[in-house]
Amino acid sequence: MYTIYHDFTINVSKETIFEAISTPEGLNNWWTLRCSGAPALNEKYNLYFAEEYNWFAVISKFVANEAIEFKMTHAMAEWMPTSFGFKLEELKPNQTYVQFYHENWNEVSQEFRIASYCWANLLRQMKHYLEDGIITPFEQRN
């Protein structure tokens, strides 16, 4: 199995980041077009990007303000049975180290490579959203 990793620092509190990665409103501001779910262990999330990308996941790990993991339950074939998540470590007030991973890929396929690139761009956009209040319109995200 293969894993995508991205580690970076965001200059806000881990509580602020956790809200952006665990709540539907937070996810809609940098990733999904429309999202529903509740931030708690075993909760089901609908991750909607377009009609053909109407995906679902379950929260498989949850430690408030420290870690969250989403296990895909319905998505395109190559995303099954992957999980993605975040680990947060506050380095000092308003500076948080973020460890992102997307694991259990069956192979380093074209979709794996595209997903890695897209995650890097989306995570950069999340950083701009959290640090500068910039929300990239959904149509311009990649």
Side-chain angles (χ1 to χ4, degrees):
M1 297 299 215
Y2 300 92
T3 304
I4 296 166
Y5 295 104
H6 295 291
D7 294 1
F8 55 102
T9 301
I10 300 180
N11 294 314
V12 297
S13 70
K14 66 180 183 175
E15 292 82 7
T16 300
I17 297 170
F18 197 78
E19 185 174 322
I21 61 177
S22 67
T23 66
E25 180 181 351
L27 291 166
N28 288 340
N29 284 333
W30 65 273
W31 188 37
T32 52
L33 175 60
R34 190 172 64 240
C35 177
S36 63
L41 189 62
N42 298 319
E43 287 292 321
K44 185 176 183 178
Y45 270 62
N46 178 208
L47 308 167
Y48 183 89
F49 306 94
E51 198 57 41
E52 65 272 21
Y53 298 104
N54 187 16
W55 296 354
F56 292 87
V58 172
I59 295 181
S60 52
K61 292 181 186 172
F62 186 88
V63 180
N65 300 316
E66 292 184 20
I68 190 166
E69 180 180 272
F70 295 83
K71 180 173 179 40
M72 299 306 297
T73 59
H74 177 79
M76 66 189 307
E78 288 192 289
W79 279 57
M80 300 298 298
T82 67
S83 297
F84 65 90
F86 299 83
K87 296 176 187 175
L88 307 177
E89 178 187 349
E90 195 161 75
L91 301 174
K92 59 184 181 181
N94 292 319
Q95 187 180 63
T96 305
Y97 183 61
V98 179
Q99 292 179 298
F100 170 84
Y101 61 91
H102 191 166
E103 64 186 10
N104 295 326
W105 289 82
N106 289 322
E107 60 181 321
V108 178
S109 63
Q110 182 180 15
E111 182 58 30
F112 174 93
R113 292 170 186 276
I114 290 169
S116 180
Y117 175 78
C118 288
W119 277 124
N121 282 321
L122 289 163
L123 294 170
R124 179 184 50 80
Q125 291 167 7
M126 180 181 77
K127 179 178 171 72
H128 289 304
Y129 156 59
L130 292 171
E131 290 181 347
D132 305 319
I134 298 169
I135 297 175
T136 303
F138 180 79
E139 300 76 28
Q140 296 174 20
R141 298 176 197 166
N142 56 358

